[in-house]
């Protein structure tokens, strides 16, 4: 079983890998100023990849066409995963860069 500290280290490593691949990260806040999520976005080729981390156990990532109007709530996507951050980030990192999944 993975400890919470191990999961945090793994997630940090995965986020650094995404930054190396060109993801830009935002840190939206709620009305009280608390961090609401960590949101990463990367546009490449004919797609946009988005990942939202709410907690270590609640992350969602998706790949959508580059012409999608609302990247935070798309109506079309070719790939989507939701679950623990380490699992979702692993799958996102495995996606090919050069085509729609």
């Amino acid at each position: 079983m993975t400890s919470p500290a191990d999961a945090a280290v793994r997630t940090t490593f995965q986020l650094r890998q995404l930054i190396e691949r060109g993801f830009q990260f935002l840190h939206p806040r709620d009305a009280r100023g608390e961090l609401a999520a960590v949101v990463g976005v990367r546009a490449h080729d004919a797609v946009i990849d988005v990942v939202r981390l709410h907690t270590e156990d609640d992350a969602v990532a998706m790949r959508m066409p580059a012409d999608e109007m609302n990247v935070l709530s798309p109506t079309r996507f070719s790939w989507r995963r939701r679950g623990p951050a380490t699992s979702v980030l692993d799958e996102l990192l495995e996606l090919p860069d050069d085509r729609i999944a």
Side-chain angles (χ1 to χ4, degrees), residues 21-83:
R21 291 187 182 186
F23 274 78
Q24 298 289 313
F25 282 88
L26 309 167
H27 305 91
R29 307 263 174 189
D30 64 18
R32 296 176 304 191
E34 299 285 328
L35 184 64
V38 173
V39 179
V41 179
R42 177 178 76 145
H44 61 102
D45 301 308
V47 297
I48 299 171
D49 294 332
V50 176
V51 60
R52 289 190 328 256
L53 293 99
H54 299 279
T55 68
E56 289 180 24
D57 295 321
D58 182 16
V60 62
M62 60 198 87
R63 175 168 283 180
M64 65 201 73
D67 63 350
E68 178 61 43
M69 296 301 290
N70 185 348
V71 298
L72 295 180
S73 185
T75 58
R76 302 172 297 143
F77 51 86
S78 59
W79 176 88
R80 180 181 167 149
R81 295 294 184 273
R82 180 173 214 127

